[in-house]
Amino acid sequence: MSIPNEALQKLVQEIETQAITAQRDINVVKAALASKQRDVRMLELTSTEVNHLSEDTKVYEGVGKMFMFAPIHGVQKRLKSETMELKSDISNLNKKLHYLETTYKNSREHIDQIFKSSGR
């Protein structure tokens, strides 16, 4: 049983569109991953620096265009929670990246399969 050329062409176009969309989304996810990983490194560095300070050191946090005094343990807690949140986001982005890469690979394989079977 053979599929008409028009139907094959339409099928290939749909699969190609899916592959292009997956490739574009892969690039977006990779950029987001890089950004979040950079933020995690910055937070970890800041946390390390704050942990080396003595308890009586005054610490200030930026709020808009000004700085406000913040207790050192509050700053450490905020840094830790932000780091954990970013790591969770990174984990979710890695899952999404894996899904998109699989989708892209499968789309490419299906297109190759169609061309091989139509060449017979």
Side-chain angles (χ1 to χ4, degrees), residues 18-19 22 98-108:
Q18 185 180 19
H98 177 70
Y99 168 77
L100 291 169
E101 287 174 339
T102 303
T103 301
Y104 179 75
K105 182 180 145 238
N106 288 342
S107 296
R108 286 283 151 210

Side-chain angles (χ1 to χ4, degrees), residues 89-103:
D89 291 347
I90 288 172
S91 174
N92 291 336
L93 285 172
N94 279 324
K95 290 175 188 174
K96 185 175 182 178
L97 181 64
H98 177 70
Y99 168 77
L100 291 169
E101 287 174 339
T102 303
T103 301

Side-chain angles (χ1 to χ4, degrees), residues 47 75-85:
S47 181
V75 172
Q76 291 169 334
K77 185 177 178 182
R78 182 187 58 79
L79 290 171
K80 185 176 181 179
S81 70
E82 284 182 22
T83 302
M84 296 301 286
E85 183 180 328

Side-chain angles (χ1 to χ4, degrees), residues 7-17 111 114-115:
L8 276 176
Q9 187 176 12
K10 185 176 180 182
L11 182 63
V12 168
Q13 283 179 335
E14 287 176 14
I15 295 173
E16 185 69 27
T17 302
I111 289 172
I114 289 171
F115 285 138

Side-chain angles (χ1 to χ4, degrees), residues 49-95:
E49 293 295 321
V50 169
N51 287 336
H52 284 86
L53 298 174
S54 64
E55 277 296 316
D56 60 340
T57 305
K58 292 187 177 186
V59 181
Y60 296 88
E61 288 187 286
V63 179
K65 292 185 178 182
M66 62 185 224
F67 294 93
M68 293 184 59
F69 173 74
I72 199 163
H73 59 82
V75 172
Q76 291 169 334
K77 185 177 178 182
R78 182 187 58 79
L79 290 171
K80 185 176 181 179
S81 70
E82 284 182 22
T83 302
M84 296 301 286
E85 183 180 328
L86 283 172
K87 286 183 178 181
S88 172
D89 291 347
I90 288 172
S91 174
N92 291 336
L93 285 172
N94 279 324
K95 290 175 188 174

